[in-house]
Amino acid sequence: KAMDRGESLGKGKRRFASQKAWGSAVVNQSDANLVVWLPPAAQREEAAPKPPPPPDVKGKKRKDEYYLAELAWEFWGPQASKKQFNASLVDGVYQTLKGSKFALRPVMALEYSQYLENYLWPNFGPEKASHSYLMSIVLMVNEKWRERVPPWEAFQSQPEHFSAFFQLLLDACLGELENSPSVAEHTFLLVFLIHCFNSLEVELIRQQVLCLVSLSIWTNLLPVSVCVCV
């Protein structure tokens, strides 16, 4: 009777009472003497590998923002006590932005904390201007333009290193520095140059940008435009 009951449930497959607890036995069709034991369904589900959970993208962005806010509070915010400049901190901040694929909110948080005015530009020097340092200044200026905030005031208050900075910027655009910029970084550099060409009314910018204009362009300008530029 037990065999009849098992055969009636399907050819080649015999299930036993209390299948949830004991599982099932499957008879190999080519060899009737070979019986394969299958564990209960609940155990098979537990044993099956589970896919990894999706990354918490929003959580990571929040952590980046909190991390940058803590740095601003400690190193360059209005309430921060003056500390010795740390170049590795600039590299770490830039790697955080790069890891977030230059998300807008962390960049906005840095600009709002006056990262450029209180930390980057006051401590800038051509000899210690790394790739991260240069790109951090470029990102802050581009963000000021996006927010329609005056972007050149920090440079005008301390103009002595702007010529060296601009030359480093041009070398980076041409890929002549040690670290070649990525496609995204090239885009940021070109946007910065466009902003410079749109700011010829600022004397500090005009002195650097007009050196890039060829003589043929000068000769084809209207006299009124030449007077304004000069």
Side-chain angles (χ1 to χ4, degrees):
K1 290 182 180 179
M3 291 296 294
D4 293 343
R5 193 182 306 115
E7 290 173 357
S8 64
L9 290 175
K11 185 178 179 181
K13 191 168 185 178
R14 296 175 186 171
R15 300 182 185 274
F16 298 95
S18 182
Q19 181 183 348
K20 281 189 176 180
W22 301 103
S24 59
V26 177
V27 180
N28 192 306
Q29 297 294 329
S30 59
D31 187 358
N33 295 322
L34 180 60
V35 178
V36 180
W37 175 258
L38 295 179
Q43 293 183 14
R44 290 201 300 270
E45 291 176 0
E46 293 176 0
K50 296 182 179 179
D56 186 5
V57 178
K58 291 184 179 179
K60 184 180 184 305
K61 289 182 179 179
R62 292 194 193 96
K63 289 179 181 178
D64 292 342
E65 293 171 19
Y66 293 150
Y67 167 69
L68 297 176
E70 289 176 358
L71 290 180
W73 181 270
E74 183 176 357
F75 288 95
W76 63 80
Q79 72 292 329
S81 58
K82 289 190 176 181
K83 296 184 178 181
Q84 187 176 5
F85 174 74
N86 187 356
S88 61
L89 186 145
V90 177
D91 294 335
V93 170
Y94 184 72
Q95 292 304 319
T96 300
L97 297 178
K98 195 173 182 180
S100 68
K101 297 182 180 180
F102 303 103
L104 181 59
R105 289 178 63 90
V107 177
M108 287 176 59
L110 284 175
E111 195 284 318
Y112 184 76
S113 68
Q114 297 184 323
Y115 184 41
L116 174 67
E117 296 89 337
N118 294 343
Y119 201 75
L120 289 177
W121 191 243
N123 297 294
F124 179 82
E127 68 283 349
K128 57 184 177 183
S130 62
H131 175 75
S132 300
Y133 206 144
L134 182 69
M135 292 305 305
S136 297
I137 296 176
V138 169
L139 285 174
M140 292 300 101
V141 173
N142 289 349
E143 179 59 23
K144 286 181 179 294
W145 269 88
R146 193 192 69 83
E147 296 179 358
R148 301 181 183 275
V149 176
W152 309 116
E153 292 180 352
F155 304 101
Q156 289 175 305
S157 62
Q158 296 176 318
E160 56 271 10
H161 292 309
F162 187 78
S163 177
F165 163 75
F166 197 80
Q167 186 59 48
L168 288 172
L169 180 79
L170 296 178
D171 293 341
C173 290
L174 298 175
E176 296 181 358
L177 297 182
E178 183 178 353
N179 293 324
S180 180
S182 63
V183 175
E185 291 170 337
H186 255 132
T187 303
F188 299 143
L189 292 170
L190 292 177
V191 170
F192 183 91
L193 284 178
I194 291 172
H195 294 327
C196 289
F197 276 93
N198 288 329
S199 303
L200 293 180
E201 71 280 0
V202 181
E203 182 180 359
L204 181 66
I205 307 300
R206 183 169 64 246
Q207 291 174 352
Q208 304 301 323
V209 170
L210 292 184
C211 299
L212 306 177
V213 181
S214 64
L215 183 61
S216 60
I217 296 178
W218 277 104
T219 56
N220 288 287
L221 282 176
L222 294 174
V224 177
S225 299
V226 174
C227 293
V228 171
C229 292
V230 175

PDB file of all heavy atoms in Angstrom, residues 1-33:
ATOM      1  N   LYS A   1       0.821  -1.202   0.000  1.00  0.00           N
ATOM      2  CA  LYS A   1       0.000   0.000   0.000  1.00  0.00           C
ATOM      3  C   LYS A   1       0.861   1.260   0.000  1.00  0.00           C
ATOM      4  O   LYS A   1       0.554   2.246  -0.663  1.00  0.00           O
ATOM      5  CB  LYS A   1      -0.914   0.007   1.212  1.00  0.00           C
ATOM      6  CG  LYS A   1      -2.008  -1.027   1.128  1.00  0.00           C
ATOM      7  CD  LYS A   1      -2.892  -0.930   2.332  1.00  0.00           C
ATOM      8  CE  LYS A   1      -4.016  -1.980   2.263  1.00  0.00           C
ATOM      9  NZ  LYS A   1      -4.887  -1.919   3.437  1.00  0.00           N
ATOM     10  N   ALA A   2       1.952   1.231   0.778  1.00  0.00           N
ATOM     11  CA  ALA A   2       2.853   2.382   0.801  1.00  0.00           C
ATOM     12  C   ALA A   2       3.447   2.629  -0.555  1.00  0.00           C
ATOM     13  O   ALA A   2       3.567   3.749  -1.019  1.00  0.00           O
ATOM     14  CB  ALA A   2       3.957   2.149   1.841  1.00  0.00           C
ATOM     15  N   MET A   3       3.835   1.510  -1.281  1.00  0.00           N
ATOM     16  CA  MET A   3       4.403   1.660  -2.613  1.00  0.00           C
ATOM     17  C   MET A   3       3.369   2.205  -3.565  1.00  0.00           C
ATOM     18  O   MET A   3       3.668   3.074  -4.402  1.00  0.00           O
ATOM     19  CB  MET A   3       4.934   0.313  -3.085  1.00  0.00           C
ATOM     20  CG  MET A   3       6.171  -0.151  -2.317  1.00  0.00           C
ATOM     21  SD  MET A   3       7.579   0.939  -2.548  1.00  0.00           S
ATOM     22  CE  MET A   3       7.883   0.650  -4.286  1.00  0.00           C
ATOM     23  N   ASP A   4       2.130   1.690  -3.497  1.00  0.00           N
ATOM     24  CA  ASP A   4       1.064   2.189  -4.381  1.00  0.00           C
ATOM     25  C   ASP A   4       0.833   3.677  -4.148  1.00  0.00           C
ATOM     26  O   ASP A   4       0.651   4.448  -5.093  1.00  0.00           O
ATOM     27  CB  ASP A   4      -0.230   1.405  -4.130  1.00  0.00           C
ATOM     28  CG  ASP A   4      -0.087  -0.048  -4.564  1.00  0.00           C
ATOM     29  OD1 ASP A   4       0.863  -0.320  -5.334  1.00  0.00           O
ATOM     30  OD2 ASP A   4      -0.885  -0.881  -4.108  1.00  0.00           O
ATOM     31  N   ARG A   5       0.858   4.067  -2.881  1.00  0.00           N
ATOM     32  CA  ARG A   5       0.625   5.467  -2.583  1.00  0.00           C
ATOM     33  C   ARG A   5       1.749   6.333  -3.134  1.00  0.00           C
ATOM     34  O   ARG A   5       1.552   7.421  -3.661  1.00  0.00           O
ATOM     35  CB  ARG A   5       0.504   5.658  -1.063  1.00  0.00           C
ATOM     36  CG  ARG A   5      -0.046   7.025  -0.664  1.00  0.00           C
ATOM     37  CD  ARG A   5      -0.101   7.194   0.839  1.00  0.00           C
ATOM     38  NE  ARG A   5      -0.833   6.107   1.490  1.00  0.00           N
ATOM     39  CZ  ARG A   5      -0.290   5.245   2.309  1.00  0.00           C
ATOM     40  NH1 ARG A   5       1.007   5.342   2.582  1.00  0.00           N
ATOM     41  NH2 ARG A   5      -1.003   4.293   2.853  1.00  0.00           N
ATOM     42  N   GLY A   6       2.984   5.845  -3.050  1.00  0.00           N
ATOM     43  CA  GLY A   6       4.125   6.599  -3.563  1.00  0.00           C
ATOM     44  C   GLY A   6       4.106   6.703  -5.062  1.00  0.00           C
ATOM     45  O   GLY A   6       4.386   7.749  -5.633  1.00  0.00           O
ATOM     46  N   GLU A   7       3.753   5.564  -5.771  1.00  0.00           N
ATOM     47  CA  GLU A   7       3.746   5.593  -7.223  1.00  0.00           C
ATOM     48  C   GLU A   7       2.636   6.483  -7.758  1.00  0.00           C
ATOM     49  O   GLU A   7       2.756   7.064  -8.837  1.00  0.00           O
ATOM     50  CB  GLU A   7       3.581   4.179  -7.748  1.00  0.00           C
ATOM     51  CG  GLU A   7       4.830   3.322  -7.492  1.00  0.00           C
ATOM     52  CD  GLU A   7       4.590   1.880  -7.876  1.00  0.00           C
ATOM     53  OE1 GLU A   7       3.449   1.583  -8.281  1.00  0.00           O
ATOM     54  OE2 GLU A   7       5.530   1.067  -7.763  1.00  0.00           O
ATOM     55  N   SER A   8       1.536   6.612  -7.027  1.00  0.00           N
ATOM     56  CA  SER A   8       0.423   7.425  -7.499  1.00  0.00           C
ATOM     57  C   SER A   8       0.743   8.915  -7.459  1.00  0.00           C
ATOM     58  O   SER A   8       0.062   9.707  -8.094  1.00  0.00           O
ATOM     59  CB  SER A   8      -0.822   7.151  -6.648  1.00  0.00           C
ATOM     60  OG  SER A   8      -0.587   7.550  -5.304  1.00  0.00           O
ATOM     61  N   LEU A   9       1.796   9.311  -6.732  1.00  0.00           N
ATOM     62  CA  LEU A   9       2.131  10.726  -6.633  1.00  0.00           C
ATOM     63  C   LEU A   9       2.965  11.208  -7.807  1.00  0.00           C
ATOM     64  O   LEU A   9       3.210  12.382  -7.954  1.00  0.00           O
ATOM     65  CB  LEU A   9       2.906  10.990  -5.330  1.00  0.00           C
ATOM     66  CG  LEU A   9       2.085  10.860  -4.052  1.00  0.00           C
ATOM     67  CD1 LEU A   9       2.983  11.028  -2.844  1.00  0.00           C
ATOM     68  CD2 LEU A   9       0.943  11.862  -4.041  1.00  0.00           C
ATOM     69  N   GLY A  10       3.416  10.304  -8.665  1.00  0.00           N
ATOM     70  CA  GLY A  10       4.203  10.742  -9.824  1.00  0.00           C
ATOM     71  C   GLY A  10       5.268   9.740 -10.148  1.00  0.00           C
ATOM     72  O   GLY A  10       5.844   9.112  -9.260  1.00  0.00           O
ATOM     73  N   LYS A  11       5.542   9.562 -11.443  1.00  0.00           N
ATOM     74  CA  LYS A  11       6.511   8.562 -11.879  1.00  0.00           C
ATOM     75  C   LYS A  11       7.910   9.011 -11.494  1.00  0.00           C
ATOM     76  O   LYS A  11       8.339  10.121 -11.784  1.00  0.00           O
ATOM     77  CB  LYS A  11       6.415   8.408 -13.388  1.00  0.00           C
ATOM     78  CG  LYS A  11       7.306   7.302 -13.928  1.00  0.00           C
ATOM     79  CD  LYS A  11       7.126   7.162 -15.419  1.00  0.00           C
ATOM     80  CE  LYS A  11       8.033   6.064 -15.943  1.00  0.00           C
ATOM     81  NZ  LYS A  11       7.906   5.917 -17.395  1.00  0.00           N
ATOM     82  N   GLY A  12       8.653   8.071 -10.885  1.00  0.00           N
ATOM     83  CA  GLY A  12      10.032   8.328 -10.535  1.00  0.00           C
ATOM     84  C   GLY A  12      10.220   9.198  -9.326  1.00  0.00           C
ATOM     85  O   GLY A  12      11.340   9.524  -8.980  1.00  0.00           O
ATOM     86  N   LYS A  13       9.161   9.628  -8.643  1.00  0.00           N
ATOM     87  CA  LYS A  13       9.309  10.517  -7.505  1.00  0.00           C
ATOM     88  C   LYS A  13       8.439  10.010  -6.368  1.00  0.00           C
ATOM     89  O   LYS A  13       7.242   9.871  -6.535  1.00  0.00           O
ATOM     90  CB  LYS A  13       8.892  11.928  -7.892  1.00  0.00           C
ATOM     91  CG  LYS A  13       9.270  12.975  -6.859  1.00  0.00           C
ATOM     92  CD  LYS A  13       9.097  14.346  -7.453  1.00  0.00           C
ATOM     93  CE  LYS A  13       9.603  15.378  -6.449  1.00  0.00           C
ATOM     94  NZ  LYS A  13       9.500  16.724  -6.973  1.00  0.00           N
ATOM     95  N   ARG A  14       9.038   9.697  -5.256  1.00  0.00           N
ATOM     96  CA  ARG A  14       8.307   9.133  -4.124  1.00  0.00           C
ATOM     97  C   ARG A  14       8.421  10.099  -2.953  1.00  0.00           C
ATOM     98  O   ARG A  14       9.506  10.447  -2.515  1.00  0.00           O
ATOM     99  CB  ARG A  14       8.887   7.777  -3.732  1.00  0.00           C
ATOM    100  CG  ARG A  14       8.712   6.753  -4.862  1.00  0.00           C
ATOM    101  CD  ARG A  14       9.388   5.454  -4.530  1.00  0.00           C
ATOM    102  NE  ARG A  14       9.321   4.544  -5.668  1.00  0.00           N
ATOM    103  CZ  ARG A  14       9.976   3.394  -5.724  1.00  0.00           C
ATOM    104  NH1 ARG A  14      10.738   3.020  -4.720  1.00  0.00           N
ATOM    105  NH2 ARG A  14       9.872   2.628  -6.782  1.00  0.00           N
ATOM    106  N   ARG A  15       7.313  10.521  -2.437  1.00  0.00           N
ATOM    107  CA  ARG A  15       7.294  11.420  -1.290  1.00  0.00           C
ATOM    108  C   ARG A  15       6.767  10.644  -0.082  1.00  0.00           C
ATOM    109  O   ARG A  15       5.925   9.777  -0.223  1.00  0.00           O
ATOM    110  CB  ARG A  15       6.401  12.633  -1.571  1.00  0.00           C
ATOM    111  CG  ARG A  15       6.875  13.440  -2.763  1.00  0.00           C
ATOM    112  CD  ARG A  15       5.989  14.669  -2.963  1.00  0.00           C
ATOM    113  NE  ARG A  15       6.366  15.373  -4.168  1.00  0.00           N
ATOM    114  CZ  ARG A  15       7.312  16.276  -4.247  1.00  0.00           C
ATOM    115  NH1 ARG A  15       8.011  16.560  -3.157  1.00  0.00           N
ATOM    116  NH2 ARG A  15       7.592  16.893  -5.381  1.00  0.00           N
ATOM    117  N   PHE A  16       7.264  10.956   1.032  1.00  0.00           N
ATOM    118  CA  PHE A  16       6.883  10.270   2.254  1.00  0.00           C
ATOM    119  C   PHE A  16       6.031  11.180   3.112  1.00  0.00           C
ATOM    120  O   PHE A  16       6.011  12.394   2.923  1.00  0.00           O
ATOM    121  CB  PHE A  16       8.141   9.837   3.039  1.00  0.00           C
ATOM    122  CG  PHE A  16       8.996   8.863   2.241  1.00  0.00           C
ATOM    123  CD1 PHE A  16      10.060   9.337   1.480  1.00  0.00           C
ATOM    124  CD2 PHE A  16       8.718   7.519   2.238  1.00  0.00           C
ATOM    125  CE1 PHE A  16      10.835   8.461   0.752  1.00  0.00           C
ATOM    126  CE2 PHE A  16       9.497   6.649   1.509  1.00  0.00           C
ATOM    127  CZ  PHE A  16      10.562   7.116   0.764  1.00  0.00           C
ATOM    128  N   ALA A  17       5.330  10.585   4.047  1.00  0.00           N
ATOM    129  CA  ALA A  17       4.515  11.364   4.965  1.00  0.00           C
ATOM    130  C   ALA A  17       5.407  12.321   5.745  1.00  0.00           C
ATOM    131  O   ALA A  17       6.574  12.049   5.982  1.00  0.00           O
ATOM    132  CB  ALA A  17       3.774  10.428   5.923  1.00  0.00           C
ATOM    133  N   SER A  18       4.831  13.420   6.133  1.00  0.00           N
ATOM    134  CA  SER A  18       5.563  14.456   6.858  1.00  0.00           C
ATOM    135  C   SER A  18       6.734  14.961   6.017  1.00  0.00           C
ATOM    136  O   SER A  18       7.867  14.982   6.446  1.00  0.00           O
ATOM    137  CB  SER A  18       6.064  13.922   8.202  1.00  0.00           C
ATOM    138  OG  SER A  18       6.719  14.932   8.919  1.00  0.00           O
ATOM    139  N   GLN A  19       6.445  15.387   4.772  1.00  0.00           N
ATOM    140  CA  GLN A  19       7.513  15.812   3.863  1.00  0.00           C
ATOM    141  C   GLN A  19       8.213  17.056   4.379  1.00  0.00           C
ATOM    142  O   GLN A  19       9.391  17.250   4.156  1.00  0.00           O
ATOM    143  CB  GLN A  19       6.924  16.080   2.478  1.00  0.00           C
ATOM    144  CG  GLN A  19       7.981  16.499   1.454  1.00  0.00           C
ATOM    145  CD  GLN A  19       7.363  16.823   0.121  1.00  0.00           C
ATOM    146  OE1 GLN A  19       6.210  16.519  -0.082  1.00  0.00           O
ATOM    147  NE2 GLN A  19       8.147  17.434  -0.746  1.00  0.00           N
ATOM    148  N   LYS A  20       7.491  17.954   5.067  1.00  0.00           N
ATOM    149  CA  LYS A  20       8.106  19.163   5.569  1.00  0.00           C
ATOM    150  C   LYS A  20       9.255  18.843   6.509  1.00  0.00           C
ATOM    151  O   LYS A  20      10.262  19.521   6.530  1.00  0.00           O
ATOM    152  CB  LYS A  20       7.075  20.012   6.303  1.00  0.00           C
ATOM    153  CG  LYS A  20       6.178  20.797   5.370  1.00  0.00           C
ATOM    154  CD  LYS A  20       5.354  21.768   6.180  1.00  0.00           C
ATOM    155  CE  LYS A  20       4.513  22.622   5.219  1.00  0.00           C
ATOM    156  NZ  LYS A  20       3.697  23.590   5.980  1.00  0.00           N
ATOM    157  N   ALA A  21       9.085  17.772   7.289  1.00  0.00           N
ATOM    158  CA  ALA A  21      10.112  17.426   8.260  1.00  0.00           C
ATOM    159  C   ALA A  21      11.187  16.551   7.662  1.00  0.00           C
ATOM    160  O   ALA A  21      12.348  16.656   8.028  1.00  0.00           O
ATOM    161  CB  ALA A  21       9.480  16.735   9.462  1.00  0.00           C
ATOM    162  N   TRP A  22      10.808  15.646   6.731  1.00  0.00           N
ATOM    163  CA  TRP A  22      11.756  14.634   6.288  1.00  0.00           C
ATOM    164  C   TRP A  22      12.229  14.837   4.851  1.00  0.00           C
ATOM    165  O   TRP A  22      13.144  14.174   4.407  1.00  0.00           O
ATOM    166  CB  TRP A  22      11.115  13.243   6.410  1.00  0.00           C
ATOM    167  CG  TRP A  22      10.712  12.940   7.816  1.00  0.00           C
ATOM    168  CD1 TRP A  22       9.474  12.984   8.338  1.00  0.00           C
ATOM    169  CD2 TRP A  22      11.580  12.576   8.882  1.00  0.00           C
ATOM    170  NE1 TRP A  22       9.471  12.668   9.653  1.00  0.00           N
ATOM    171  CE2 TRP A  22      10.770  12.400  10.036  1.00  0.00           C
ATOM    172  CE3 TRP A  22      12.937  12.366   8.996  1.00  0.00           C
ATOM    173  CZ2 TRP A  22      11.288  12.044  11.259  1.00  0.00           C
ATOM    174  CZ3 TRP A  22      13.455  12.002  10.224  1.00  0.00           C
ATOM    175  CH2 TRP A  22      12.644  11.849  11.348  1.00  0.00           C
ATOM    176  N   GLY A  23      11.604  15.680   4.071  1.00  0.00           N
ATOM    177  CA  GLY A  23      12.072  15.887   2.713  1.00  0.00           C
ATOM    178  C   GLY A  23      11.466  14.891   1.765  1.00  0.00           C
ATOM    179  O   GLY A  23      10.403  14.332   1.997  1.00  0.00           O
ATOM    180  N   SER A  24      12.138  14.617   0.648  1.00  0.00           N
ATOM    181  CA  SER A  24      11.621  13.711  -0.360  1.00  0.00           C
ATOM    182  C   SER A  24      12.750  12.926  -0.982  1.00  0.00           C
ATOM    183  O   SER A  24      13.914  13.329  -0.944  1.00  0.00           O
ATOM    184  CB  SER A  24      10.868  14.499  -1.447  1.00  0.00           C
ATOM    185  OG  SER A  24      11.739  15.436  -2.055  1.00  0.00           O
ATOM    186  N   ALA A  25      12.394  11.774  -1.559  1.00  0.00           N
ATOM    187  CA  ALA A  25      13.378  10.924  -2.240  1.00  0.00           C
ATOM    188  C   ALA A  25      13.034  10.889  -3.706  1.00  0.00           C
ATOM    189  O   ALA A  25      11.884  10.692  -4.082  1.00  0.00           O
ATOM    190  CB  ALA A  25      13.356   9.521  -1.653  1.00  0.00           C
ATOM    191  N   VAL A  26      14.030  11.075  -4.567  1.00  0.00           N
ATOM    192  CA  VAL A  26      13.839  11.054  -6.002  1.00  0.00           C
ATOM    193  C   VAL A  26      14.589   9.854  -6.570  1.00  0.00           C
ATOM    194  O   VAL A  26      15.765   9.653  -6.283  1.00  0.00           O
ATOM    195  CB  VAL A  26      14.366  12.355  -6.645  1.00  0.00           C
ATOM    196  CG1 VAL A  26      14.217  12.290  -8.152  1.00  0.00           C
ATOM    197  CG2 VAL A  26      13.617  13.548  -6.092  1.00  0.00           C
ATOM    198  N   VAL A  27      13.872   9.010  -7.365  1.00  0.00           N
ATOM    199  CA  VAL A  27      14.457   7.823  -7.971  1.00  0.00           C
ATOM    200  C   VAL A  27      15.022   8.201  -9.327  1.00  0.00           C
ATOM    201  O   VAL A  27      14.334   8.791 -10.161  1.00  0.00           O
ATOM    202  CB  VAL A  27      13.401   6.703  -8.109  1.00  0.00           C
ATOM    203  CG1 VAL A  27      14.021   5.466  -8.739  1.00  0.00           C
ATOM    204  CG2 VAL A  27      12.806   6.365  -6.753  1.00  0.00           C
ATOM    205  N   ASN A  28      16.292   7.907  -9.543  1.00  0.00           N
ATOM    206  CA  ASN A  28      16.925   8.182 -10.824  1.00  0.00           C
ATOM    207  C   ASN A  28      16.271   7.333 -11.901  1.00  0.00           C
ATOM    208  O   ASN A  28      16.095   6.129 -11.739  1.00  0.00           O
ATOM    209  CB  ASN A  28      18.432   7.874 -10.738  1.00  0.00           C
ATOM    210  CG  ASN A  28      19.177   8.419 -11.922  1.00  0.00           C
ATOM    211  OD1 ASN A  28      18.827   8.131 -13.057  1.00  0.00           O
ATOM    212  ND2 ASN A  28      20.238   9.165 -11.634  1.00  0.00           N
ATOM    213  N   GLN A  29      15.876   7.946 -13.044  1.00  0.00           N
ATOM    214  CA  GLN A  29      15.152   7.225 -14.090  1.00  0.00           C
ATOM    215  C   GLN A  29      16.039   6.179 -14.755  1.00  0.00           C
ATOM    216  O   GLN A  29      15.571   5.126 -15.154  1.00  0.00           O
ATOM    217  CB  GLN A  29      14.641   8.232 -15.139  1.00  0.00           C
ATOM    218  CG  GLN A  29      13.643   9.243 -14.595  1.00  0.00           C
ATOM    219  CD  GLN A  29      12.353   8.589 -14.180  1.00  0.00           C
ATOM    220  OE1 GLN A  29      11.960   7.579 -14.760  1.00  0.00           O
ATOM    221  NE2 GLN A  29      11.713   9.130 -13.155  1.00  0.00           N
ATOM    222  N   SER A  30      17.337   6.462 -14.896  1.00  0.00           N
ATOM    223  CA  SER A  30      18.212   5.495 -15.573  1.00  0.00           C
ATOM    224  C   SER A  30      18.625   4.354 -14.668  1.00  0.00           C
ATOM    225  O   SER A  30      18.962   3.275 -15.129  1.00  0.00           O
ATOM    226  CB  SER A  30      19.474   6.211 -16.092  1.00  0.00           C
ATOM    227  OG  SER A  30      20.166   6.818 -14.995  1.00  0.00           O
ATOM    228  N   ASP A  31      18.613   4.593 -13.372  1.00  0.00           N
ATOM    229  CA  ASP A  31      18.999   3.545 -12.435  1.00  0.00           C
ATOM    230  C   ASP A  31      18.007   3.576 -11.285  1.00  0.00           C
ATOM    231  O   ASP A  31      18.046   4.458 -10.435  1.00  0.00           O
ATOM    232  CB  ASP A  31      20.428   3.773 -11.936  1.00  0.00           C
ATOM    233  CG  ASP A  31      20.912   2.602 -11.083  1.00  0.00           C
ATOM    234  OD1 ASP A  31      20.128   1.658 -10.870  1.00  0.00           O
ATOM    235  OD2 ASP A  31      22.075   2.631 -10.646  1.00  0.00           O
ATOM    236  N   ALA A  32      17.087   2.586 -11.256  1.00  0.00           N
ATOM    237  CA  ALA A  32      16.027   2.574 -10.247  1.00  0.00           C
ATOM    238  C   ALA A  32      16.577   2.337  -8.859  1.00  0.00           C
ATOM    239  O   ALA A  32      15.905   2.601  -7.871  1.00  0.00           O
ATOM    240  CB  ALA A  32      14.992   1.505 -10.589  1.00  0.00           C
ATOM    241  N   ASN A  33      17.807   1.778  -8.762  1.00  0.00           N
ATOM    242  CA  ASN A  33      18.387   1.501  -7.454  1.00  0.00           C
ATOM    243  C   ASN A  33      19.047   2.739  -6.831  1.00  0.00           C
ATOM    244  O   ASN A  33      19.447   2.712  -5.676  1.00  0.00           O
ATOM    245  CB  ASN A  33      19.431   0.390  -7.563  1.00  0.00           C
ATOM    246  CG  ASN A  33      18.793  -0.920  -7.978  1.00  0.00           C
ATOM    247  OD1 ASN A  33      17.682  -1.235  -7.539  1.00  0.00           O
ATOM    248  ND2 ASN A  33      19.475  -1.671  -8.827  1.00  0.00           N
TER     249      ASN A  33
END
